[in-house]
Amino acid sequence: MQNYHLDHLQHLETEAIHIMREVAGEFERPALLFSGGKDSICLLRLAEKAFRPSDIPMPFLNVETGHEFPELIEFRDRRAKQLGAKLIVRTVDQALAKGTATQAPGEVSRNKLQIPVLLGAIEEFRFDCAIGGARRDEEKARAKERFFSFRDSFGQWDPKNQRPEIWNLYNGRLNAGENMRVFPLSNWTEMDVWEYIKRERLEVPSIYFSHTRECFRRGGQWLPLPPEHTDPTKPDPYAGARPKPSEPRKTMVCRVRTIADMISTGMVESPASTFDDIIAEVAAARVTERGSRADDKASEAAMEDRKKAGYF
Amino acid sequence: MSLTTAPHVPVDILRFNTCGSVDDGKSTLIGRLLYDSKSLMEDQIEALERSADITGGGQINLANLTDGLRAEREQGITIDVAYRYFATPRRKFIIADTPGHVQYTRNMVTGASSANLSIILVDARTGVIEQSRRHTAIAALLRIPHLVVAINKMDLVGWSQARFLEIRAQFEEFLPRLDIKDVKFIPMSALNGDNVVEPSPHTPWYVGPTLLGHLETVHIASDWNLNGFRLPVQWVNRPNNPTDQSLHDFRGFSGQIAGGIVKVGQKVIAFPAGIVSTVKQIWTYDGPVQEAFCPQSVTLVLEHDIDISRGSMLVGLDHLPGSSSELQAEVCWMHPRALQAGKKYYLKHTTHTVQVAVTEIVNKLNLATLESETGATELAMNDIGEIRLRTAKPLVFDGYSANRLTGSFILIEQGTNATVAAGMLNPPREIVKPENGDYVI
């Protein structure tokens, strides 16, 4: 530390810790969105760095579509327990049962249904702030996000009317019913995330590493074969997401690059079994991370439209 | 310049912003930087080609890379600050693409406030226009340490060295009135890629670096302030019922160091209490450290039990800050509802928010002439002017010219909570003084 120099990861880290502490200082009831994915894994380490030796002063919140990879759920629950944090899970199934969310006819993906569930949880727990792991390098609409993203009482993002963010001064003031989404990893890239995970020796769910899995081809992607439907008394939760006879199947050595749920995550063929392998793969990648996400391929403005409706 | 695909860890981060008026080719320049430095991915290039088929008559438009929102593509404008990232083996870069319309000065201030470097784009055919002066003046006001004047579209003036020198002379006419130390002029064609990443064969008369070459090598290590320790307290760290007995009495002050260096055993003053104490421990998650520096995030434990909370500031005994509730500052107004003298706002300075009344508009900057004019009754959106303020509690602060983090503030409108202004404090008239060993403010 003699030369008073921070490398790029240390710069990103101190910026993110500053933002986490501003949240703790400015909001009454913040929550941290933790899915078990690589970005939110970094958020948890940053929260430890921001708040230890105290407890992390906010609960973790996750919205389940009901189509999650089991490995992710297992990891999420274990990690929250290790950190002594309260984990709140709200599901699309609950919202469908209560009628607070309705599936569009013929639509299989539950990606958009996460929006009413998230907004419902914010209302139920009166959260005034939710910290998320979104990064600006992921997508064009995200590139225009602020660190502190103001949402009106409907959770809507208005890109034309954002609060200017100057220096490191964040305006967290809200009126009743409004809330804030805060993105400490805004300036991080996919490469930064993996380099940080490696430097901090963080555990990640096993599906980020190479494994053997049966997949099928749909929409230009290799999608994982959903789990067997074992309870015939209930409707198949993966109806519509199972391979049709016309869709080719293949047993692949593969991994996930980005995790949505099993319906929206394309598997990438890869032998990467260590962090260094993954970092080498990211460095050599010729498509973006979101190129393997079916939810972003809907249209050029898919993310912009979802964010305006309250997506995180 | 070599770009490898091997894993690498860049040594530091350079933040820069680009400014120019509507057709100067800003977005094209950023697209070119990303494209030629191989920072674009196949699906991004595919998406560009797709939109070229739909809207561009088959011509790939590099500007589509940064103009992300539907409204922008439809209107062919950039409505907000967009952030882009790329890395070379030497550095990681964060680009704030800030729009050039007159009405978006506030976005330039947003994008440029934390920049190490600003790129001002000038169309070689039109030369210096009011926008160029305006952008340069804002960069100077924000004290951005490094400036690049990118003289673009040189292909359209026949790569004329005379034209390049003429435009440089136009700049040098008004630069002395602004306090900018490091200015670099680069002739280029962003559309064709000349002197952006690769040196141009058309400018044998230009011996300087390409734009990327300059961005990779410009010296930024001294852009952070290492004089005068400042720690604005963000959060008081007091573990509840710790299982570890040694943490029972733990009381730490967490924050990001906004200036200087702090060492274990060093004396610090806690404001607003004004009481001197000694640094007992510098606590970090990765273990205690003997010293820490700006801009690290740390948690300090002091020898004495002093009343310290969020909004307090710990400072070192040398390079003392000022303290006053009567302030004078340059502000950039950012809201459609104009500033009027007499109105009350919230002022957020470091981690401290206080009520404030604007007592006087001293002058307004005429961005066409760069002259300050007295007699203004209001500051409208995108106006820059000097104002006087009175805060409900005294502020402990530095002049913006001495420290960008402890010399800056934002104004927040009461009721709507809109961020309405960015402010840069004038140097303090009086610095804090000891009284019976303590520093009373």
Side-chain angles (χ1 to χ4, degrees), chain A residues 192-226:
Chain A
D192 298 328
V193 165
W194 282 113
E195 283 177 347
Y196 192 70
I197 285 173
K198 182 189 166 197
R199 181 179 288 186
E200 293 290 322
R201 298 195 194 92
L202 296 171
E203 186 190 341
V204 300
S206 56
I207 51 176
Y208 279 113
F209 295 112
S210 182
H211 58 281
T212 305
R213 183 183 285 271
E214 197 172 359
C215 300
F216 68 99
R217 191 80 179 158
R218 179 178 290 180
Q221 314 222 46
W222 287 105
L223 297 176
L225 200 69

mmCIF file of all heavy atoms in Angstrom, chain A residues 192-226:
data_model
loop_
_atom_site.group_PDB
_atom_site.id
_atom_site.type_symbol
_atom_site.label_atom_id
_atom_site.label_comp_id
_atom_site.label_asym_id
_atom_site.label_seq_id
_atom_site.Cartn_x
_atom_site.Cartn_y
_atom_site.Cartn_z
ATOM 1 N N ASP A 192 -14.873 -8.209 -14.992
ATOM 2 C CA ASP A 192 -14.587 -7.722 -13.632
ATOM 3 C C ASP A 192 -15.214 -8.647 -12.589
ATOM 4 O O ASP A 192 -14.616 -8.945 -11.556
ATOM 5 C CB ASP A 192 -15.148 -6.310 -13.430
ATOM 6 C CG ASP A 192 -14.519 -5.283 -14.360
ATOM 7 O OD1 ASP A 192 -13.329 -5.438 -14.698
ATOM 8 O OD2 ASP A 192 -15.218 -4.330 -14.751
ATOM 9 N N VAL A 193 -16.449 -9.077 -12.856
ATOM 10 C CA VAL A 193 -17.162 -9.939 -11.910
ATOM 11 C C VAL A 193 -16.382 -11.239 -11.681
ATOM 12 O O VAL A 193 -16.152 -11.653 -10.545
ATOM 13 C CB VAL A 193 -18.594 -10.233 -12.418
ATOM 14 C CG1 VAL A 193 -19.227 -11.400 -11.672
ATOM 15 C CG2 VAL A 193 -19.452 -8.984 -12.268
ATOM 16 N N TRP A 194 -15.940 -11.866 -12.770
ATOM 17 C CA TRP A 194 -15.201 -13.127 -12.612
ATOM 18 C C TRP A 194 -13.833 -12.918 -11.973
ATOM 19 O O TRP A 194 -13.386 -13.729 -11.168
ATOM 20 C CB TRP A 194 -15.069 -13.856 -13.952
ATOM 21 C CG TRP A 194 -16.341 -14.554 -14.300
ATOM 22 C CD1 TRP A 194 -17.178 -14.256 -15.335
ATOM 23 C CD2 TRP A 194 -16.952 -15.642 -13.586
ATOM 24 N NE1 TRP A 194 -18.269 -15.089 -15.309
ATOM 25 C CE2 TRP A 194 -18.159 -15.960 -14.249
ATOM 26 C CE3 TRP A 194 -16.601 -16.381 -12.455
ATOM 27 C CZ2 TRP A 194 -19.010 -16.977 -13.834
ATOM 28 C CZ3 TRP A 194 -17.452 -17.392 -12.028
ATOM 29 C CH2 TRP A 194 -18.640 -17.685 -12.703
ATOM 30 N N GLU A 195 -13.166 -11.817 -12.334
ATOM 31 C CA GLU A 195 -11.865 -11.556 -11.709
ATOM 32 C C GLU A 195 -12.034 -11.311 -10.207
ATOM 33 O O GLU A 195 -11.201 -11.712 -9.398
ATOM 34 C CB GLU A 195 -11.174 -10.364 -12.393
ATOM 35 C CG GLU A 195 -10.571 -10.762 -13.732
ATOM 36 C CD GLU A 195 -9.950 -9.588 -14.481
ATOM 37 O OE1 GLU A 195 -10.193 -8.437 -14.083
ATOM 38 O OE2 GLU A 195 -9.247 -9.845 -15.466
ATOM 39 N N TYR A 196 -13.128 -10.650 -9.853
ATOM 40 C CA TYR A 196 -13.384 -10.378 -8.432
ATOM 41 C C TYR A 196 -13.708 -11.675 -7.692
ATOM 42 O O TYR A 196 -13.208 -11.915 -6.593
ATOM 43 C CB TYR A 196 -14.541 -9.385 -8.292
ATOM 44 C CG TYR A 196 -14.682 -8.829 -6.890
ATOM 45 C CD1 TYR A 196 -13.727 -7.944 -6.382
ATOM 46 C CD2 TYR A 196 -15.741 -9.192 -6.069
ATOM 47 C CE1 TYR A 196 -13.849 -7.439 -5.096
ATOM 48 C CE2 TYR A 196 -15.865 -8.688 -4.782
ATOM 49 C CZ TYR A 196 -14.917 -7.809 -4.295
ATOM 50 O OH TYR A 196 -15.029 -7.309 -3.024
ATOM 51 N N ILE A 197 -14.547 -12.520 -8.311
ATOM 52 C CA ILE A 197 -14.900 -13.803 -7.684
ATOM 53 C C ILE A 197 -13.634 -14.622 -7.460
ATOM 54 O O ILE A 197 -13.447 -15.237 -6.411
ATOM 55 C CB ILE A 197 -15.913 -14.562 -8.581
ATOM 56 C CG1 ILE A 197 -17.294 -13.903 -8.450
ATOM 57 C CG2 ILE A 197 -15.982 -16.031 -8.211
ATOM 58 C CD1 ILE A 197 -18.339 -14.434 -9.405
ATOM 59 N N LYS A 198 -12.733 -14.578 -8.445
ATOM 60 C CA LYS A 198 -11.485 -15.327 -8.312
ATOM 61 C C LYS A 198 -10.616 -14.733 -7.203
ATOM 62 O O LYS A 198 -10.109 -15.452 -6.338
ATOM 63 C CB LYS A 198 -10.729 -15.299 -9.642
ATOM 64 C CG LYS A 198 -9.449 -16.107 -9.600
ATOM 65 C CD LYS A 198 -8.608 -15.900 -10.850
ATOM 66 C CE LYS A 198 -7.204 -16.443 -10.599
ATOM 67 N NZ LYS A 198 -6.251 -15.926 -11.574
ATOM 68 N N ARG A 199 -10.463 -13.401 -7.221
ATOM 69 C CA ARG A 199 -9.598 -12.762 -6.227
ATOM 70 C C ARG A 199 -10.123 -13.011 -4.816
ATOM 71 O O ARG A 199 -9.354 -13.244 -3.886
ATOM 72 C CB ARG A 199 -9.523 -11.252 -6.496
ATOM 73 C CG ARG A 199 -8.611 -10.537 -5.504
ATOM 74 C CD ARG A 199 -8.508 -9.053 -5.785
ATOM 75 N NE ARG A 199 -7.719 -8.776 -6.989
ATOM 76 C CZ ARG A 199 -7.384 -7.544 -7.376
ATOM 77 N NH1 ARG A 199 -7.755 -6.500 -6.663
ATOM 78 N NH2 ARG A 199 -6.687 -7.360 -8.463
ATOM 79 N N GLU A 200 -11.444 -12.966 -4.653
ATOM 80 C CA GLU A 200 -12.044 -13.126 -3.328
ATOM 81 C C GLU A 200 -12.288 -14.592 -2.980
ATOM 82 O O GLU A 200 -12.804 -14.888 -1.904
ATOM 83 C CB GLU A 200 -13.368 -12.358 -3.261
ATOM 84 C CG GLU A 200 -13.192 -10.844 -3.341
ATOM 85 C CD GLU A 200 -12.543 -10.261 -2.094
ATOM 86 O OE1 GLU A 200 -12.857 -10.734 -0.993
ATOM 87 O OE2 GLU A 200 -11.694 -9.356 -2.233
ATOM 88 N N ARG A 201 -11.970 -15.470 -3.890
ATOM 89 C CA ARG A 201 -12.171 -16.916 -3.711
ATOM 90 C C ARG A 201 -13.607 -17.220 -3.286
ATOM 91 O O ARG A 201 -13.870 -17.904 -2.298
ATOM 92 C CB ARG A 201 -11.203 -17.479 -2.664
ATOM 93 C CG ARG A 201 -9.750 -17.312 -3.070
ATOM 94 C CD ARG A 201 -8.864 -18.200 -2.198
ATOM 95 N NE ARG A 201 -7.470 -17.837 -2.332
ATOM 96 C CZ ARG A 201 -6.842 -16.960 -1.545
ATOM 97 N NH1 ARG A 201 -7.505 -16.375 -0.552
ATOM 98 N NH2 ARG A 201 -5.578 -16.666 -1.737
ATOM 99 N N LEU A 202 -14.568 -16.703 -4.042
ATOM 100 C CA LEU A 202 -15.979 -16.880 -3.706
ATOM 101 C C LEU A 202 -16.515 -18.169 -4.318
ATOM 102 O O LEU A 202 -16.138 -18.527 -5.435
ATOM 103 C CB LEU A 202 -16.788 -15.682 -4.231
ATOM 104 C CG LEU A 202 -16.440 -14.341 -3.587
ATOM 105 C CD1 LEU A 202 -17.132 -13.196 -4.321
ATOM 106 C CD2 LEU A 202 -16.840 -14.336 -2.118
ATOM 107 N N GLU A 203 -17.380 -18.838 -3.566
ATOM 108 C CA GLU A 203 -18.024 -20.029 -4.103
ATOM 109 C C GLU A 203 -19.135 -19.604 -5.067
ATOM 110 O O GLU A 203 -19.827 -18.614 -4.820
ATOM 111 C CB GLU A 203 -18.619 -20.849 -2.953
ATOM 112 C CG GLU A 203 -19.174 -22.176 -3.421
ATOM 113 C CD GLU A 203 -19.988 -22.896 -2.344
ATOM 114 O OE1 GLU A 203 -19.849 -22.566 -1.152
ATOM 115 O OE2 GLU A 203 -20.766 -23.786 -2.733
ATOM 116 N N VAL A 204 -19.294 -20.357 -6.161
ATOM 117 C CA VAL A 204 -20.405 -20.099 -7.083
ATOM 118 C C VAL A 204 -21.150 -21.417 -7.299
ATOM 119 O O VAL A 204 -20.585 -22.492 -7.105
ATOM 120 C CB VAL A 204 -19.923 -19.523 -8.444
ATOM 121 C CG1 VAL A 204 -19.186 -18.214 -8.255
ATOM 122 C CG2 VAL A 204 -19.069 -20.531 -9.194
ATOM 123 N N PRO A 205 -22.432 -21.363 -7.713
ATOM 124 C CA PRO A 205 -23.166 -22.600 -7.968
ATOM 125 C C PRO A 205 -22.452 -23.453 -9.018
ATOM 126 O O PRO A 205 -21.860 -22.921 -9.965
ATOM 127 C CB PRO A 205 -24.525 -22.112 -8.488
ATOM 128 C CG PRO A 205 -24.663 -20.735 -7.961
ATOM 129 C CD PRO A 205 -23.281 -20.167 -7.914
ATOM 130 N N SER A 206 -22.547 -24.763 -8.856
ATOM 131 C CA SER A 206 -21.777 -25.684 -9.697
ATOM 132 C C SER A 206 -22.105 -25.560 -11.186
ATOM 133 O O SER A 206 -21.269 -25.886 -12.028
ATOM 134 C CB SER A 206 -22.046 -27.122 -9.238
ATOM 135 O OG SER A 206 -23.447 -27.377 -9.280
ATOM 136 N N ILE A 207 -23.312 -25.067 -11.530
ATOM 137 C CA ILE A 207 -23.676 -25.018 -12.954
ATOM 138 C C ILE A 207 -22.891 -23.984 -13.761
ATOM 139 O O ILE A 207 -22.936 -23.985 -14.982
ATOM 140 C CB ILE A 207 -25.198 -24.766 -13.150
ATOM 141 C CG1 ILE A 207 -25.662 -23.559 -12.335
ATOM 142 C CG2 ILE A 207 -26.003 -26.007 -12.789
ATOM 143 C CD1 ILE A 207 -27.118 -23.199 -12.569
ATOM 144 N N TYR A 208 -22.135 -23.104 -13.072
ATOM 145 C CA TYR A 208 -21.240 -22.196 -13.803
ATOM 146 C C TYR A 208 -20.036 -22.946 -14.368
ATOM 147 O O TYR A 208 -19.335 -22.438 -15.238
ATOM 148 C CB TYR A 208 -20.732 -21.070 -12.893
ATOM 149 C CG TYR A 208 -21.719 -19.931 -12.737
ATOM 150 C CD1 TYR A 208 -22.326 -19.681 -11.510
ATOM 151 C CD2 TYR A 208 -22.025 -19.099 -13.814
ATOM 152 C CE1 TYR A 208 -23.223 -18.629 -11.358
ATOM 153 C CE2 TYR A 208 -22.913 -18.054 -13.673
ATOM 154 C CZ TYR A 208 -23.508 -17.812 -12.446
ATOM 155 O OH TYR A 208 -24.383 -16.773 -12.307
ATOM 156 N N PHE A 209 -19.773 -24.140 -13.809
ATOM 157 C CA PHE A 209 -18.643 -24.933 -14.300
ATOM 158 C C PHE A 209 -19.143 -26.041 -15.232
ATOM 159 O O PHE A 209 -20.313 -26.426 -15.207
ATOM 160 C CB PHE A 209 -17.878 -25.543 -13.123
ATOM 161 C CG PHE A 209 -17.223 -24.534 -12.240
ATOM 162 C CD1 PHE A 209 -17.674 -24.330 -10.947
ATOM 163 C CD2 PHE A 209 -16.162 -23.764 -12.716
ATOM 164 C CE1 PHE A 209 -17.078 -23.376 -10.129
ATOM 165 C CE2 PHE A 209 -15.560 -22.814 -11.898
ATOM 166 C CZ PHE A 209 -16.019 -22.618 -10.603
ATOM 167 N N SER A 210 -18.215 -26.531 -16.001
ATOM 168 C CA SER A 210 -18.528 -27.537 -16.997
ATOM 169 C C SER A 210 -19.130 -28.800 -16.361
ATOM 170 O O SER A 210 -18.631 -29.295 -15.349
ATOM 171 C CB SER A 210 -17.239 -27.892 -17.734
ATOM 172 O OG SER A 210 -17.506 -28.817 -18.732
ATOM 173 N N HIS A 211 -20.203 -29.285 -16.951
ATOM 174 C CA HIS A 211 -20.817 -30.537 -16.513
ATOM 175 C C HIS A 211 -21.552 -31.150 -17.704
ATOM 176 O O HIS A 211 -21.679 -30.520 -18.757
ATOM 177 C CB HIS A 211 -21.780 -30.295 -15.348
ATOM 178 C CG HIS A 211 -22.882 -29.323 -15.657
ATOM 179 N ND1 HIS A 211 -22.698 -27.960 -15.644
ATOM 180 C CD2 HIS A 211 -24.173 -29.516 -16.025
ATOM 181 C CE1 HIS A 211 -23.836 -27.348 -15.958
ATOM 182 N NE2 HIS A 211 -24.753 -28.270 -16.200
ATOM 183 N N THR A 212 -22.029 -32.375 -17.529
ATOM 184 C CA THR A 212 -22.726 -33.053 -18.618
ATOM 185 C C THR A 212 -24.226 -32.932 -18.399
ATOM 186 O O THR A 212 -24.705 -33.128 -17.277
ATOM 187 C CB THR A 212 -22.324 -34.535 -18.669
ATOM 188 O OG1 THR A 212 -20.901 -34.599 -18.771
ATOM 189 C CG2 THR A 212 -22.953 -35.227 -19.872
ATOM 190 N N ARG A 213 -24.945 -32.571 -19.458
ATOM 191 C CA ARG A 213 -26.373 -32.302 -19.291
ATOM 192 C C ARG A 213 -27.096 -32.558 -20.615
ATOM 193 O O ARG A 213 -26.558 -32.314 -21.690
ATOM 194 C CB ARG A 213 -26.551 -30.832 -18.893
ATOM 195 C CG ARG A 213 -27.985 -30.417 -18.613
ATOM 196 C CD ARG A 213 -28.060 -28.940 -18.304
ATOM 197 N NE ARG A 213 -27.570 -28.593 -16.967
ATOM 198 C CZ ARG A 213 -28.321 -28.562 -15.865
ATOM 199 N NH1 ARG A 213 -29.587 -28.884 -15.926
ATOM 200 N NH2 ARG A 213 -27.794 -28.231 -14.709
ATOM 201 N N GLU A 214 -28.317 -33.048 -20.513
ATOM 202 C CA GLU A 214 -29.106 -33.260 -21.716
ATOM 203 C C GLU A 214 -29.851 -31.962 -22.065
ATOM 204 O O GLU A 214 -30.513 -31.360 -21.222
ATOM 205 C CB GLU A 214 -30.102 -34.401 -21.521
ATOM 206 C CG GLU A 214 -30.608 -34.882 -22.868
ATOM 207 C CD GLU A 214 -31.456 -36.136 -22.781
ATOM 208 O OE1 GLU A 214 -31.662 -36.669 -21.674
ATOM 209 O OE2 GLU A 214 -31.926 -36.571 -23.855
ATOM 210 N N CYS A 215 -29.699 -31.536 -23.324
ATOM 211 C CA CYS A 215 -30.279 -30.264 -23.761
ATOM 212 C C CYS A 215 -31.092 -30.496 -25.024
ATOM 213 O O CYS A 215 -30.994 -31.531 -25.670
ATOM 214 C CB CYS A 215 -29.172 -29.257 -24.076
ATOM 215 S SG CYS A 215 -28.103 -28.905 -22.663
ATOM 216 N N PHE A 216 -31.892 -29.476 -25.358
ATOM 217 C CA PHE A 216 -32.591 -29.530 -26.643
ATOM 218 C C PHE A 216 -32.519 -28.164 -27.304
ATOM 219 O O PHE A 216 -32.308 -27.146 -26.661
ATOM 220 C CB PHE A 216 -34.048 -30.007 -26.464
ATOM 221 C CG PHE A 216 -34.933 -29.031 -25.740
ATOM 222 C CD1 PHE A 216 -35.796 -28.193 -26.454
ATOM 223 C CD2 PHE A 216 -34.918 -28.948 -24.355
ATOM 224 C CE1 PHE A 216 -36.622 -27.295 -25.795
ATOM 225 C CE2 PHE A 216 -35.739 -28.042 -23.686
ATOM 226 C CZ PHE A 216 -36.587 -27.227 -24.405
ATOM 227 N N ARG A 217 -32.678 -28.175 -28.655
ATOM 228 C CA ARG A 217 -32.452 -26.974 -29.455
ATOM 229 C C ARG A 217 -33.755 -26.216 -29.644
ATOM 230 O O ARG A 217 -34.749 -26.779 -30.119
ATOM 231 C CB ARG A 217 -31.900 -27.416 -30.817
ATOM 232 C CG ARG A 217 -31.360 -26.284 -31.678
ATOM 233 C CD ARG A 217 -29.976 -25.883 -31.240
ATOM 234 N NE ARG A 217 -29.458 -24.815 -32.066
ATOM 235 C CZ ARG A 217 -28.498 -23.995 -31.672
ATOM 236 N NH1 ARG A 217 -27.943 -24.134 -30.470
ATOM 237 N NH2 ARG A 217 -28.059 -23.041 -32.469
ATOM 238 N N ARG A 218 -33.781 -24.964 -29.260
ATOM 239 C CA ARG A 218 -34.968 -24.131 -29.495
ATOM 240 C C ARG A 218 -34.530 -22.665 -29.609
ATOM 241 O O ARG A 218 -33.746 -22.189 -28.793
ATOM 242 C CB ARG A 218 -35.968 -24.278 -28.349
ATOM 243 C CG ARG A 218 -37.215 -23.406 -28.546
ATOM 244 C CD ARG A 218 -38.237 -23.581 -27.458
ATOM 245 N NE ARG A 218 -38.896 -24.884 -27.510
ATOM 246 C CZ ARG A 218 -39.839 -25.278 -26.647
ATOM 247 N NH1 ARG A 218 -40.208 -24.463 -25.669
ATOM 248 N NH2 ARG A 218 -40.388 -26.459 -26.743
ATOM 249 N N GLY A 219 -35.064 -21.986 -30.605
ATOM 250 C CA GLY A 219 -34.797 -20.551 -30.764
ATOM 251 C C GLY A 219 -33.307 -20.230 -30.874
ATOM 252 O O GLY A 219 -32.841 -19.220 -30.365
ATOM 253 N N GLY A 220 -32.545 -21.128 -31.519
ATOM 254 C CA GLY A 220 -31.124 -20.852 -31.694
ATOM 255 C C GLY A 220 -30.285 -21.113 -30.451
ATOM 256 O O GLY A 220 -29.113 -20.753 -30.402
ATOM 257 N N GLN A 221 -30.862 -21.725 -29.436
ATOM 258 C CA GLN A 221 -30.115 -21.993 -28.204
ATOM 259 C C GLN A 221 -30.259 -23.449 -27.806
ATOM 260 O O GLN A 221 -31.232 -24.106 -28.153
ATOM 261 C CB GLN A 221 -30.716 -21.174 -27.061
ATOM 262 C CG GLN A 221 -30.973 -19.758 -27.435
ATOM 263 C CD GLN A 221 -30.560 -18.848 -26.327
ATOM 264 O OE1 GLN A 221 -29.470 -18.999 -25.764
ATOM 265 N NE2 GLN A 221 -31.395 -17.910 -25.988
ATOM 266 N N TRP A 222 -29.306 -23.894 -26.986
ATOM 267 C CA TRP A 222 -29.422 -25.208 -26.350
ATOM 268 C C TRP A 222 -29.997 -24.993 -24.953
ATOM 269 O O TRP A 222 -29.335 -24.466 -24.079
ATOM 270 C CB TRP A 222 -28.075 -25.915 -26.269
ATOM 271 C CG TRP A 222 -27.608 -26.416 -27.605
ATOM 272 C CD1 TRP A 222 -26.626 -25.879 -28.381
ATOM 273 C CD2 TRP A 222 -28.109 -27.552 -28.311
ATOM 274 N NE1 TRP A 222 -26.490 -26.593 -29.549
ATOM 275 C CE2 TRP A 222 -27.397 -27.637 -29.529
ATOM 276 C CE3 TRP A 222 -29.111 -28.496 -28.055
ATOM 277 C CZ2 TRP A 222 -27.631 -28.632 -30.473
ATOM 278 C CZ3 TRP A 222 -29.335 -29.503 -28.998
ATOM 279 C CH2 TRP A 222 -28.605 -29.558 -30.209
ATOM 280 N N LEU A 223 -31.263 -25.391 -24.768
ATOM 281 C CA LEU A 223 -31.918 -25.209 -23.461
ATOM 282 C C LEU A 223 -31.820 -26.502 -22.660
ATOM 283 O O LEU A 223 -31.851 -27.595 -23.221
ATOM 284 C CB LEU A 223 -33.394 -24.830 -23.661
ATOM 285 C CG LEU A 223 -33.635 -23.499 -24.371
ATOM 286 C CD1 LEU A 223 -35.129 -23.268 -24.595
ATOM 287 C CD2 LEU A 223 -33.048 -22.331 -23.579
ATOM 288 N N PRO A 224 -31.703 -26.370 -21.323
ATOM 289 C CA PRO A 224 -31.598 -27.581 -20.496
ATOM 290 C C PRO A 224 -32.923 -28.340 -20.504
ATOM 291 O O PRO A 224 -33.998 -27.733 -20.542
ATOM 292 C CB PRO A 224 -31.299 -27.027 -19.101
ATOM 293 C CG PRO A 224 -31.796 -25.621 -19.118
ATOM 294 C CD PRO A 224 -31.663 -25.136 -20.522
ATOM 295 N N LEU A 225 -32.820 -29.657 -20.460
ATOM 296 C CA LEU A 225 -34.031 -30.473 -20.392
ATOM 297 C C LEU A 225 -34.633 -30.291 -18.997
ATOM 298 O O LEU A 225 -33.959 -30.502 -17.995
ATOM 299 C CB LEU A 225 -33.637 -31.933 -20.617
ATOM 300 C CG LEU A 225 -34.772 -32.857 -21.043
ATOM 301 C CD1 LEU A 225 -35.240 -32.511 -22.452
ATOM 302 C CD2 LEU A 225 -34.303 -34.307 -20.972
ATOM 303 N N PRO A 226 -35.920 -29.889 -18.916
ATOM 304 C CA PRO A 226 -36.509 -29.651 -17.594
ATOM 305 C C PRO A 226 -36.625 -30.954 -16.800
ATOM 306 O O PRO A 226 -36.612 -32.036 -17.387
ATOM 307 C CB PRO A 226 -37.903 -29.110 -17.916
ATOM 308 C CG PRO A 226 -37.885 -28.720 -19.334
ATOM 309 C CD PRO A 226 -36.863 -29.585 -19.997
#
